[in-house]
Amino acid sequence: MEIRKIQGAIEAVLFASGDPVSLERLADVLGLDRPTAEKIMRNLADRFNNSNGGIRIVRLGDGWQMCTRPEFGGQVRAALDMRRNMPLSQAALEVLAVVAYNQPVTRAFVEQIRGVDCSGVFSSLTAKGLLEERGRLELPGRPLLYGTTSDFLRCLGISSLQELPPIEHEKEGEQAEPAEDVG
Amino acid sequence: MEIRKIQGAIEAVLFASGDPVSLERLADVLGLDRPTAEKIMRNLADRFNNSNGGIRIVRLGDGWQMCTRPEFGGQVRAALDMRRNMPLSQAALEVLAVVAYNQPVTRAFVEQIRGVDCSGVFSSLTAKGLLEERGRLELPGRPLLYGTTSDFLRCLGISSLQELPPIEHEKEGEQAEPAEDVG
Amino acid sequence: MEKLCCKLETFEGPLDLLLLLISKNKLNICDVRITDLVDQYVEQIHAMREHKMEVASEFLEMAARLVYIKTVSLLPKPEEAERLQRELTGQLLEYQECRRVAGLFGERFRFDSYSRPPEEIKFDSSYRGHLSPQEIFHAYRSAAGRGKRLLPPKPEAFSGIVSHKIVSVASRMIRVLRGLRRIGAARYEDLYRDCRGRSELVATFLAVLELIRGKRIRVEGENDGMVKLMDGGENKWKSEKFREP
């Protein structure tokens, strides 16, 4: 299959899926090895993202997703009668922060760090598609585990959790203990 | 707004909407009069439809819709159909096996051998294209007869039923009990 | 709680309040003297109550904790006080970091990019997987084997004499395990797919319970449960009272 056709097929698949499609699946369907699929995929994403069109292609985790270019958000909302998403509350952002760096985590873990009940925040973040359930912990009560979604990455404008801003968590934690630091 | 931006906005709106969007709405959102919107819209549709991309723009009644180019239907289906790779259930395998070795057979025959109702399995195997109807038995109630299809042979990678491992009909009852498999 | 947020704007919990007090005193958390904060903290809670705001229990719990730390530090056993203080400091640091990152998230979060609903596609249901002739052969023997056992007392023959078909739980256990060993995992509902009649359903359900109790399978997920074979399920199963037919 010539390259233009392959790219056309990828466009069609990403468009029809709506959700992110893993590179593996794309490679499978197109009968390509992964490195080749990766190269073609990057190429295609660049082409979309460097044009001024309304559609862009973003990498999310090990998948790729088509979505609209943010600058047209206003027109999309107006045409489709959507309300603008309210900015997230401080509480919601804090919960996301704890989950993002420690996933999968239970609600209890997050509540311990924040010192307050978070059940309402968890359900609203799940409803917004920013958090998702990830099975249960094998402990008494079998509490639910939560993790962040690909939408979370997309809204934050990053492609993987590795791109999260670094935290000084560990260092400070050790310093707080009677560590034998020079300083 | 320059024309490229307007087209970008239209792309974004059509993309985000799964349904057709009326010209009127597009014109409204973009602050254009209808003839201008129509012209720009046609232009955009031509650009999409004359490229070899995976997405095209079609006119539906009074509206416009983005959809995948039909020639990539195969790849789209393959990528998005999760069920296709689901393995057959044990029940399905058994029904398939009993039919394969005894065809053409009635459902009642298979149920007698397996000792359980198989109606659901029969219809799902027929839908999967592995079983097919083969006329009726000339008995009261004229029960349907079933046999395996050529797709069944293809899934097995054999060219005829003779290539199935032989079963010894007489001794089969004894063999089935102390089945100490090598595997 | 909500009134509290309105009153003091951005904060939500006792840790928030502590951080606020620390920042007011222009102290670094690492060398904050928690004991100095106790009075201020208790004062704040008083103020809230005077404004007829409901003070959430976690605020009171924190007050109690602080008072405890202060009490302990007055006693001639400083290690305990230090430990408690370190604990609280650690928690505050962790929470402060959480707030910092939350702030970064807040700056970066954008809700202007939209995805689209999946295109509605009618899927071709024809099977494209691979089967091996051996698989078919084994499936046949498995089916024929079972039929021999269940067949002789044909249900119809007993109609009027016995109205219920008896299904043993053991047979369903074997069936469930056999199915799972082949495909590894199955949707919970699929276990019941080939059940005919109530007694088979009940027997299968009991079999599933029995297998879970015996730690041979586990069920995961809430609404759309997946049933999985536990590690070693095969060996245990063979060793115990059920022998593979």
PDB file of all heavy atoms in Angstrom, chain B residues 15 68 77 84 88-90 93-94 112-114 117 127-128 155 167, chain C residues 116 119 122 125 127-128 131 136-137 142 146-147 151 175 182 196:
ATOM      1  N   PHE B  15     -16.285  18.171  12.537  1.00  0.00           N
ATOM      2  CA  PHE B  15     -15.583  17.049  13.168  1.00  0.00           C
ATOM      3  C   PHE B  15     -16.218  16.695  14.516  1.00  0.00           C
ATOM      4  O   PHE B  15     -16.527  15.540  14.778  1.00  0.00           O
ATOM      5  CB  PHE B  15     -14.113  17.394  13.366  1.00  0.00           C
ATOM      6  CG  PHE B  15     -13.345  16.364  14.137  1.00  0.00           C
ATOM      7  CD1 PHE B  15     -12.793  15.272  13.502  1.00  0.00           C
ATOM      8  CD2 PHE B  15     -13.197  16.483  15.511  1.00  0.00           C
ATOM      9  CE1 PHE B  15     -12.101  14.311  14.219  1.00  0.00           C
ATOM     10  CE2 PHE B  15     -12.506  15.524  16.244  1.00  0.00           C
ATOM     11  CZ  PHE B  15     -11.952  14.441  15.587  1.00  0.00           C
ATOM     12  N   THR B  68     -16.100   9.050   7.127  1.00  0.00           N
ATOM     13  CA  THR B  68     -14.919   8.404   6.560  1.00  0.00           C
ATOM     14  C   THR B  68     -15.151   8.061   5.100  1.00  0.00           C
ATOM     15  O   THR B  68     -16.272   7.815   4.673  1.00  0.00           O
ATOM     16  CB  THR B  68     -14.572   7.101   7.307  1.00  0.00           C
ATOM     17  OG1 THR B  68     -15.754   6.301   7.375  1.00  0.00           O
ATOM     18  CG2 THR B  68     -14.108   7.372   8.707  1.00  0.00           C
ATOM     19  N   ARG B  77     -13.292  -0.916  10.062  1.00  0.00           N
ATOM     20  CA  ARG B  77     -13.963  -2.023  10.740  1.00  0.00           C
ATOM     21  C   ARG B  77     -12.963  -2.888  11.497  1.00  0.00           C
ATOM     22  O   ARG B  77     -13.151  -3.219  12.661  1.00  0.00           O
ATOM     23  CB  ARG B  77     -14.667  -2.911   9.719  1.00  0.00           C
ATOM     24  CG  ARG B  77     -16.090  -2.583   9.525  1.00  0.00           C
ATOM     25  CD  ARG B  77     -16.535  -3.278   8.258  1.00  0.00           C
ATOM     26  NE  ARG B  77     -17.225  -2.304   7.443  1.00  0.00           N
ATOM     27  CZ  ARG B  77     -18.487  -1.986   7.629  1.00  0.00           C
ATOM     28  NH1 ARG B  77     -19.175  -2.560   8.571  1.00  0.00           N
ATOM     29  NH2 ARG B  77     -19.067  -1.084   6.878  1.00  0.00           N
ATOM     30  N   ARG B  84     -14.378  -9.136  17.195  1.00  0.00           N
ATOM     31  CA  ARG B  84     -13.934 -10.091  16.209  1.00  0.00           C
ATOM     32  C   ARG B  84     -12.822 -10.997  16.725  1.00  0.00           C
ATOM     33  O   ARG B  84     -12.718 -12.148  16.362  1.00  0.00           O
ATOM     34  CB  ARG B  84     -13.429  -9.346  15.000  1.00  0.00           C
ATOM     35  CG  ARG B  84     -13.061 -10.290  13.920  1.00  0.00           C
ATOM     36  CD  ARG B  84     -13.422  -9.744  12.632  1.00  0.00           C
ATOM     37  NE  ARG B  84     -12.408  -8.813  12.207  1.00  0.00           N
ATOM     38  CZ  ARG B  84     -12.373  -8.314  10.992  1.00  0.00           C
ATOM     39  NH1 ARG B  84     -13.321  -8.604  10.151  1.00  0.00           N
ATOM     40  NH2 ARG B  84     -11.439  -7.500  10.637  1.00  0.00           N
ATOM     41  N   LEU B  88     -13.855 -18.127  20.699  1.00  0.00           N
ATOM     42  CA  LEU B  88     -15.158 -18.778  20.850  1.00  0.00           C
ATOM     43  C   LEU B  88     -15.281 -19.373  22.250  1.00  0.00           C
ATOM     44  O   LEU B  88     -14.293 -19.793  22.843  1.00  0.00           O
ATOM     45  CB  LEU B  88     -15.283 -19.906  19.825  1.00  0.00           C
ATOM     46  CG  LEU B  88     -15.348 -19.487  18.359  1.00  0.00           C
ATOM     47  CD1 LEU B  88     -15.408 -20.725  17.478  1.00  0.00           C
ATOM     48  CD2 LEU B  88     -16.534 -18.597  18.098  1.00  0.00           C
ATOM     49  N   SER B  89     -16.499 -19.406  22.744  1.00  0.00           N
ATOM     50  CA  SER B  89     -16.721 -19.995  24.061  1.00  0.00           C
ATOM     51  C   SER B  89     -16.583 -21.518  23.972  1.00  0.00           C
ATOM     52  O   SER B  89     -16.652 -22.095  22.888  1.00  0.00           O
ATOM     53  CB  SER B  89     -18.108 -19.635  24.563  1.00  0.00           C
ATOM     54  OG  SER B  89     -19.073 -20.299  23.784  1.00  0.00           O
ATOM     55  N   GLN B  90     -16.416 -22.137  25.120  1.00  0.00           N
ATOM     56  CA  GLN B  90     -16.333 -23.600  25.163  1.00  0.00           C
ATOM     57  C   GLN B  90     -17.600 -24.224  24.567  1.00  0.00           C
ATOM     58  O   GLN B  90     -17.535 -25.167  23.782  1.00  0.00           O
ATOM     59  CB  GLN B  90     -16.133 -24.065  26.608  1.00  0.00           C
ATOM     60  CG  GLN B  90     -16.135 -25.576  26.801  1.00  0.00           C
ATOM     61  CD  GLN B  90     -14.916 -26.262  26.188  1.00  0.00           C
ATOM     62  OE1 GLN B  90     -13.909 -25.617  25.916  1.00  0.00           O
ATOM     63  NE2 GLN B  90     -15.034 -27.537  25.939  1.00  0.00           N
ATOM     64  N   LEU B  93     -17.515 -24.018  20.837  1.00  0.00           N
ATOM     65  CA  LEU B  93     -16.571 -24.985  20.269  1.00  0.00           C
ATOM     66  C   LEU B  93     -17.172 -26.378  20.241  1.00  0.00           C
ATOM     67  O   LEU B  93     -17.030 -27.110  19.263  1.00  0.00           O
ATOM     68  CB  LEU B  93     -15.306 -25.023  21.124  1.00  0.00           C
ATOM     69  CG  LEU B  93     -14.189 -24.070  20.746  1.00  0.00           C
ATOM     70  CD1 LEU B  93     -13.037 -24.219  21.713  1.00  0.00           C
ATOM     71  CD2 LEU B  93     -13.717 -24.369  19.321  1.00  0.00           C
ATOM     72  N   GLU B  94     -17.841 -26.730  21.326  1.00  0.00           N
ATOM     73  CA  GLU B  94     -18.403 -28.080  21.401  1.00  0.00           C
ATOM     74  C   GLU B  94     -19.499 -28.281  20.359  1.00  0.00           C
ATOM     75  O   GLU B  94     -19.552 -29.300  19.676  1.00  0.00           O
ATOM     76  CB  GLU B  94     -18.933 -28.361  22.816  1.00  0.00           C
ATOM     77  CG  GLU B  94     -17.803 -28.512  23.811  1.00  0.00           C
ATOM     78  CD  GLU B  94     -18.295 -28.886  25.204  1.00  0.00           C
ATOM     79  OE1 GLU B  94     -19.497 -29.191  25.351  1.00  0.00           O
ATOM     80  OE2 GLU B  94     -17.467 -28.862  26.130  1.00  0.00           O
ATOM     81  N   GLN B 112     -28.788 -33.405  22.521  1.00  0.00           N
ATOM     82  CA  GLN B 112     -28.804 -34.706  23.162  1.00  0.00           C
ATOM     83  C   GLN B 112     -27.386 -35.122  23.556  1.00  0.00           C
ATOM     84  O   GLN B 112     -27.152 -35.631  24.636  1.00  0.00           O
ATOM     85  CB  GLN B 112     -29.399 -35.730  22.200  1.00  0.00           C
ATOM     86  CG  GLN B 112     -30.130 -36.825  22.911  1.00  0.00           C
ATOM     87  CD  GLN B 112     -30.749 -37.764  21.917  1.00  0.00           C
ATOM     88  OE1 GLN B 112     -30.767 -37.503  20.707  1.00  0.00           O
ATOM     89  NE2 GLN B 112     -31.251 -38.871  22.411  1.00  0.00           N
ATOM     90  N   ILE B 113     -26.458 -34.872  22.643  1.00  0.00           N
ATOM     91  CA  ILE B 113     -25.069 -35.237  22.948  1.00  0.00           C
ATOM     92  C   ILE B 113     -24.516 -34.385  24.072  1.00  0.00           C
ATOM     93  O   ILE B 113     -23.880 -34.878  24.996  1.00  0.00           O
ATOM     94  CB  ILE B 113     -24.190 -35.090  21.681  1.00  0.00           C
ATOM     95  CG1 ILE B 113     -24.526 -36.219  20.711  1.00  0.00           C
ATOM     96  CG2 ILE B 113     -22.707 -35.108  22.059  1.00  0.00           C
ATOM     97  CD1 ILE B 113     -23.526 -36.393  19.610  1.00  0.00           C
ATOM     98  N   ARG B 114     -24.762 -33.090  24.001  1.00  0.00           N
ATOM     99  CA  ARG B 114     -24.154 -32.193  24.995  1.00  0.00           C
ATOM    100  C   ARG B 114     -24.962 -32.168  26.296  1.00  0.00           C
ATOM    101  O   ARG B 114     -24.471 -31.710  27.324  1.00  0.00           O
ATOM    102  CB  ARG B 114     -24.036 -30.778  24.450  1.00  0.00           C
ATOM    103  CG  ARG B 114     -23.024 -30.660  23.310  1.00  0.00           C
ATOM    104  CD  ARG B 114     -22.710 -29.214  23.003  1.00  0.00           C
ATOM    105  NE  ARG B 114     -22.126 -28.533  24.150  1.00  0.00           N
ATOM    106  CZ  ARG B 114     -22.579 -27.413  24.657  1.00  0.00           C
ATOM    107  NH1 ARG B 114     -23.643 -26.826  24.129  1.00  0.00           N
ATOM    108  NH2 ARG B 114     -22.001 -26.856  25.692  1.00  0.00           N
ATOM    109  N   ASP B 117     -29.332 -27.233  26.400  1.00  0.00           N
ATOM    110  CA  ASP B 117     -29.942 -26.434  25.341  1.00  0.00           C
ATOM    111  C   ASP B 117     -28.863 -25.655  24.598  1.00  0.00           C
ATOM    112  O   ASP B 117     -27.945 -25.127  25.213  1.00  0.00           O
ATOM    113  CB  ASP B 117     -30.935 -25.458  25.974  1.00  0.00           C
ATOM    114  CG  ASP B 117     -31.565 -24.549  24.942  1.00  0.00           C
ATOM    115  OD1 ASP B 117     -30.985 -23.484  24.654  1.00  0.00           O
ATOM    116  OD2 ASP B 117     -32.627 -24.908  24.427  1.00  0.00           O
ATOM    117  N   ALA B 127     -24.597 -16.646  12.907  1.00  0.00           N
ATOM    118  CA  ALA B 127     -24.272 -15.245  12.646  1.00  0.00           C
ATOM    119  C   ALA B 127     -22.788 -15.067  12.359  1.00  0.00           C
ATOM    120  O   ALA B 127     -22.391 -14.244  11.535  1.00  0.00           O
ATOM    121  CB  ALA B 127     -24.684 -14.377  13.838  1.00  0.00           C
ATOM    122  N   LYS B 128     -21.954 -15.880  13.009  1.00  0.00           N
ATOM    123  CA  LYS B 128     -20.511 -15.779  12.786  1.00  0.00           C
ATOM    124  C   LYS B 128     -20.096 -16.423  11.469  1.00  0.00           C
ATOM    125  O   LYS B 128     -18.932 -16.391  11.101  1.00  0.00           O
ATOM    126  CB  LYS B 128     -19.765 -16.470  13.934  1.00  0.00           C
ATOM    127  CG  LYS B 128     -19.735 -15.668  15.216  1.00  0.00           C
ATOM    128  CD  LYS B 128     -18.844 -16.365  16.231  1.00  0.00           C
ATOM    129  CE  LYS B 128     -18.462 -15.454  17.378  1.00  0.00           C
ATOM    130  NZ  LYS B 128     -19.557 -15.172  18.294  1.00  0.00           N
ATOM    131  N   CYS B 155     -11.149 -21.119   8.796  1.00  0.00           N
ATOM    132  CA  CYS B 155     -10.645 -20.812  10.136  1.00  0.00           C
ATOM    133  C   CYS B 155      -9.721 -21.906  10.640  1.00  0.00           C
ATOM    134  O   CYS B 155      -8.787 -21.656  11.394  1.00  0.00           O
ATOM    135  CB  CYS B 155     -11.798 -20.653  11.123  1.00  0.00           C
ATOM    136  SG  CYS B 155     -12.718 -19.145  10.884  1.00  0.00           S
ATOM    137  N   ILE B 167     -12.307 -39.637  14.713  1.00  0.00           N
ATOM    138  CA  ILE B 167     -12.774 -40.160  15.992  1.00  0.00           C
ATOM    139  C   ILE B 167     -13.291 -41.563  15.759  1.00  0.00           C
ATOM    140  O   ILE B 167     -13.938 -41.847  14.755  1.00  0.00           O
ATOM    141  CB  ILE B 167     -13.893 -39.302  16.614  1.00  0.00           C
ATOM    142  CG1 ILE B 167     -14.915 -38.922  15.550  1.00  0.00           C
ATOM    143  CG2 ILE B 167     -13.326 -38.066  17.268  1.00  0.00           C
ATOM    144  CD1 ILE B 167     -16.146 -38.286  16.137  1.00  0.00           C
TER     145      ILE B 167
ATOM    146  N   ARG C 116     -14.608  13.560  19.149  1.00  0.00           N
ATOM    147  CA  ARG C 116     -15.902  13.326  18.507  1.00  0.00           C
ATOM    148  C   ARG C 116     -16.480  11.978  18.912  1.00  0.00           C
ATOM    149  O   ARG C 116     -15.747  11.098  19.324  1.00  0.00           O
ATOM    150  CB  ARG C 116     -15.786  13.422  16.986  1.00  0.00           C
ATOM    151  CG  ARG C 116     -14.944  12.340  16.351  1.00  0.00           C
ATOM    152  CD  ARG C 116     -14.806  12.576  14.871  1.00  0.00           C
ATOM    153  NE  ARG C 116     -16.078  12.703  14.203  1.00  0.00           N
ATOM    154  CZ  ARG C 116     -16.857  11.700  13.860  1.00  0.00           C
ATOM    155  NH1 ARG C 116     -16.519  10.463  14.160  1.00  0.00           N
ATOM    156  NH2 ARG C 116     -17.979  11.911  13.225  1.00  0.00           N
ATOM    157  N   GLU C 119     -18.008   6.903  15.070  1.00  0.00           N
ATOM    158  CA  GLU C 119     -18.921   6.744  13.944  1.00  0.00           C
ATOM    159  C   GLU C 119     -19.717   5.461  14.156  1.00  0.00           C
ATOM    160  O   GLU C 119     -19.188   4.471  14.660  1.00  0.00           O
ATOM    161  CB  GLU C 119     -18.111   6.628  12.651  1.00  0.00           C
ATOM    162  CG  GLU C 119     -18.732   7.356  11.500  1.00  0.00           C
ATOM    163  CD  GLU C 119     -17.805   7.382  10.281  1.00  0.00           C
ATOM    164  OE1 GLU C 119     -17.145   6.381   9.996  1.00  0.00           O
ATOM    165  OE2 GLU C 119     -17.790   8.430   9.619  1.00  0.00           O
ATOM    166  N   LYS C 122     -21.842  -0.666  11.400  1.00  0.00           N
ATOM    167  CA  LYS C 122     -22.435  -1.998  11.541  1.00  0.00           C
ATOM    168  C   LYS C 122     -21.337  -3.008  11.296  1.00  0.00           C
ATOM    169  O   LYS C 122     -20.768  -3.064  10.211  1.00  0.00           O
ATOM    170  CB  LYS C 122     -23.553  -2.186  10.512  1.00  0.00           C
ATOM    171  CG  LYS C 122     -24.923  -1.871  11.066  1.00  0.00           C
ATOM    172  CD  LYS C 122     -25.957  -2.510  10.175  1.00  0.00           C
ATOM    173  CE  LYS C 122     -27.269  -2.731  10.887  1.00  0.00           C
ATOM    174  NZ  LYS C 122     -28.274  -3.276   9.969  1.00  0.00           N
ATOM    175  N   SER C 125     -20.309  -9.680  11.503  1.00  0.00           N
ATOM    176  CA  SER C 125     -20.145 -10.549  12.670  1.00  0.00           C
ATOM    177  C   SER C 125     -19.428 -11.851  12.335  1.00  0.00           C
ATOM    178  O   SER C 125     -19.264 -12.695  13.194  1.00  0.00           O
ATOM    179  CB  SER C 125     -21.505 -10.849  13.282  1.00  0.00           C
ATOM    180  OG  SER C 125     -22.319 -11.470  12.325  1.00  0.00           O
ATOM    181  N   TYR C 127     -16.854 -14.727  11.870  1.00  0.00           N
ATOM    182  CA  TYR C 127     -15.712 -15.058  12.706  1.00  0.00           C
ATOM    183  C   TYR C 127     -14.429 -15.086  11.891  1.00  0.00           C
ATOM    184  O   TYR C 127     -14.390 -15.691  10.828  1.00  0.00           O
ATOM    185  CB  TYR C 127     -15.955 -16.425  13.355  1.00  0.00           C
ATOM    186  CG  TYR C 127     -14.897 -16.825  14.345  1.00  0.00           C
ATOM    187  CD1 TYR C 127     -14.832 -16.203  15.579  1.00  0.00           C
ATOM    188  CD2 TYR C 127     -13.976 -17.811  14.045  1.00  0.00           C
ATOM    189  CE1 TYR C 127     -13.862 -16.555  16.507  1.00  0.00           C
ATOM    190  CE2 TYR C 127     -13.005 -18.171  14.959  1.00  0.00           C
ATOM    191  CZ  TYR C 127     -12.953 -17.537  16.187  1.00  0.00           C
ATOM    192  OH  TYR C 127     -12.005 -17.899  17.091  1.00  0.00           O
ATOM    193  N   ARG C 128     -13.399 -14.405  12.396  1.00  0.00           N
ATOM    194  CA  ARG C 128     -12.139 -14.365  11.658  1.00  0.00           C
ATOM    195  C   ARG C 128     -10.976 -14.955  12.431  1.00  0.00           C
ATOM    196  O   ARG C 128      -9.846 -14.854  12.032  1.00  0.00           O
ATOM    197  CB  ARG C 128     -11.784 -12.914  11.286  1.00  0.00           C
ATOM    198  CG  ARG C 128     -12.769 -12.245  10.388  1.00  0.00           C
ATOM    199  CD  ARG C 128     -12.616 -12.750   8.949  1.00  0.00           C
ATOM    200  NE  ARG C 128     -13.846 -12.550   8.218  1.00  0.00           N
ATOM    201  CZ  ARG C 128     -14.236 -11.405   7.712  1.00  0.00           C
ATOM    202  NH1 ARG C 128     -13.487 -10.361   7.851  1.00  0.00           N
ATOM    203  NH2 ARG C 128     -15.372 -11.295   7.088  1.00  0.00           N
ATOM    204  N   LEU C 131      -8.860 -21.464  14.457  1.00  0.00           N
ATOM    205  CA  LEU C 131      -9.132 -22.637  15.279  1.00  0.00           C
ATOM    206  C   LEU C 131      -8.193 -23.722  14.783  1.00  0.00           C
ATOM    207  O   LEU C 131      -7.761 -23.700  13.631  1.00  0.00           O
ATOM    208  CB  LEU C 131     -10.577 -23.112  15.061  1.00  0.00           C
ATOM    209  CG  LEU C 131     -11.684 -22.143  15.448  1.00  0.00           C
ATOM    210  CD1 LEU C 131     -13.018 -22.632  14.892  1.00  0.00           C
ATOM    211  CD2 LEU C 131     -11.751 -22.033  16.957  1.00  0.00           C
ATOM    212  N   ILE C 136     -11.051 -28.665  17.808  1.00  0.00           N
ATOM    213  CA  ILE C 136     -12.368 -29.184  17.463  1.00  0.00           C
ATOM    214  C   ILE C 136     -12.504 -30.627  17.965  1.00  0.00           C
ATOM    215  O   ILE C 136     -13.519 -31.021  18.528  1.00  0.00           O
ATOM    216  CB  ILE C 136     -12.583 -29.127  15.930  1.00  0.00           C
ATOM    217  CG1 ILE C 136     -12.595 -27.683  15.464  1.00  0.00           C
ATOM    218  CG2 ILE C 136     -13.868 -29.837  15.525  1.00  0.00           C
ATOM    219  CD1 ILE C 136     -13.743 -26.869  15.991  1.00  0.00           C
ATOM    220  N   PHE C 137     -11.425 -31.360  17.789  1.00  0.00           N
ATOM    221  CA  PHE C 137     -11.419 -32.755  18.206  1.00  0.00           C
ATOM    222  C   PHE C 137     -11.651 -32.867  19.716  1.00  0.00           C
ATOM    223  O   PHE C 137     -12.499 -33.615  20.195  1.00  0.00           O
ATOM    224  CB  PHE C 137     -10.071 -33.391  17.803  1.00  0.00           C
ATOM    225  CG  PHE C 137      -9.908 -34.803  18.259  1.00  0.00           C
ATOM    226  CD1 PHE C 137     -10.688 -35.810  17.710  1.00  0.00           C
ATOM    227  CD2 PHE C 137      -8.969 -35.129  19.223  1.00  0.00           C
ATOM    228  CE1 PHE C 137     -10.536 -37.121  18.117  1.00  0.00           C
ATOM    229  CE2 PHE C 137      -8.815 -36.438  19.641  1.00  0.00           C
ATOM    230  CZ  PHE C 137      -9.591 -37.448  19.083  1.00  0.00           C
ATOM    231  N   SER C 142     -15.034 -33.690  24.570  1.00  0.00           N
ATOM    232  CA  SER C 142     -15.571 -33.099  25.789  1.00  0.00           C
ATOM    233  C   SER C 142     -17.098 -33.119  25.761  1.00  0.00           C
ATOM    234  O   SER C 142     -17.749 -33.488  26.742  1.00  0.00           O
ATOM    235  CB  SER C 142     -15.036 -31.674  25.906  1.00  0.00           C
ATOM    236  OG  SER C 142     -15.918 -30.871  26.602  1.00  0.00           O
ATOM    237  N   ARG C 146     -19.549 -35.603  28.163  1.00  0.00           N
ATOM    238  CA  ARG C 146     -20.572 -35.107  29.065  1.00  0.00           C
ATOM    239  C   ARG C 146     -21.933 -35.678  28.722  1.00  0.00           C
ATOM    240  O   ARG C 146     -22.714 -36.047  29.589  1.00  0.00           O
ATOM    241  CB  ARG C 146     -20.626 -33.577  29.021  1.00  0.00           C
ATOM    242  CG  ARG C 146     -21.645 -33.030  29.988  1.00  0.00           C
ATOM    243  CD  ARG C 146     -21.582 -31.524  30.041  1.00  0.00           C
ATOM    244  NE  ARG C 146     -21.254 -30.945  28.765  1.00  0.00           N
ATOM    245  CZ  ARG C 146     -20.078 -30.481  28.461  1.00  0.00           C
ATOM    246  NH1 ARG C 146     -19.127 -30.511  29.347  1.00  0.00           N
ATOM    247  NH2 ARG C 146     -19.862 -29.975  27.270  1.00  0.00           N
ATOM    248  N   GLY C 147     -22.181 -35.751  27.437  1.00  0.00           N
ATOM    249  CA  GLY C 147     -23.481 -36.258  27.002  1.00  0.00           C
ATOM    250  C   GLY C 147     -23.735 -37.632  27.562  1.00  0.00           C
ATOM    251  O   GLY C 147     -24.822 -37.949  28.011  1.00  0.00           O
ATOM    252  N   LEU C 151     -26.862 -37.969  29.543  1.00  0.00           N
ATOM    253  CA  LEU C 151     -27.869 -38.410  28.603  1.00  0.00           C
ATOM    254  C   LEU C 151     -28.838 -39.471  29.113  1.00  0.00           C
ATOM    255  O   LEU C 151     -30.039 -39.261  29.045  1.00  0.00           O
ATOM    256  CB  LEU C 151     -27.201 -38.876  27.310  1.00  0.00           C
ATOM    257  CG  LEU C 151     -28.127 -38.934  26.116  1.00  0.00           C
ATOM    258  CD1 LEU C 151     -28.705 -37.548  25.870  1.00  0.00           C
ATOM    259  CD2 LEU C 151     -27.369 -39.424  24.910  1.00  0.00           C
ATOM    260  N   ARG C 175     -17.150 -27.295  34.587  1.00  0.00           N
ATOM    261  CA  ARG C 175     -17.421 -26.641  33.319  1.00  0.00           C
ATOM    262  C   ARG C 175     -16.844 -25.224  33.296  1.00  0.00           C
ATOM    263  O   ARG C 175     -16.203 -24.824  32.318  1.00  0.00           O
ATOM    264  CB  ARG C 175     -18.943 -26.588  33.152  1.00  0.00           C
ATOM    265  CG  ARG C 175     -19.333 -26.068  31.846  1.00  0.00           C
ATOM    266  CD  ARG C 175     -20.757 -26.469  31.514  1.00  0.00           C
ATOM    267  NE  ARG C 175     -21.049 -25.869  30.253  1.00  0.00           N
ATOM    268  CZ  ARG C 175     -20.527 -26.286  29.143  1.00  0.00           C
ATOM    269  NH1 ARG C 175     -19.763 -27.341  29.133  1.00  0.00           N
ATOM    270  NH2 ARG C 175     -20.798 -25.651  28.017  1.00  0.00           N
ATOM    271  N   ARG C 182      -9.391 -22.502  29.096  1.00  0.00           N
ATOM    272  CA  ARG C 182      -9.193 -22.387  27.650  1.00  0.00           C
ATOM    273  C   ARG C 182      -8.981 -20.943  27.226  1.00  0.00           C
ATOM    274  O   ARG C 182      -8.089 -20.639  26.456  1.00  0.00           O
ATOM    275  CB  ARG C 182     -10.386 -22.975  26.927  1.00  0.00           C
ATOM    276  CG  ARG C 182     -10.060 -23.421  25.526  1.00  0.00           C
ATOM    277  CD  ARG C 182     -11.234 -24.120  24.902  1.00  0.00           C
ATOM    278  NE  ARG C 182     -12.427 -23.300  24.913  1.00  0.00           N
ATOM    279  CZ  ARG C 182     -12.582 -22.279  24.121  1.00  0.00           C
ATOM    280  NH1 ARG C 182     -11.666 -21.966  23.248  1.00  0.00           N
ATOM    281  NH2 ARG C 182     -13.680 -21.555  24.193  1.00  0.00           N
ATOM    282  N   ARG C 196     -29.618 -23.880  30.786  1.00  0.00           N
ATOM    283  CA  ARG C 196     -31.022 -24.075  30.450  1.00  0.00           C
ATOM    284  C   ARG C 196     -31.772 -24.311  31.742  1.00  0.00           C
ATOM    285  O   ARG C 196     -31.444 -25.218  32.501  1.00  0.00           O
ATOM    286  CB  ARG C 196     -31.183 -25.278  29.520  1.00  0.00           C
ATOM    287  CG  ARG C 196     -32.618 -25.483  29.085  1.00  0.00           C
ATOM    288  CD  ARG C 196     -32.724 -26.637  28.147  1.00  0.00           C
ATOM    289  NE  ARG C 196     -32.197 -27.862  28.748  1.00  0.00           N
ATOM    290  CZ  ARG C 196     -32.332 -29.066  28.180  1.00  0.00           C
ATOM    291  NH1 ARG C 196     -32.924 -29.185  27.024  1.00  0.00           N
ATOM    292  NH2 ARG C 196     -31.850 -30.131  28.768  1.00  0.00           N
TER     293      ARG C 196
END
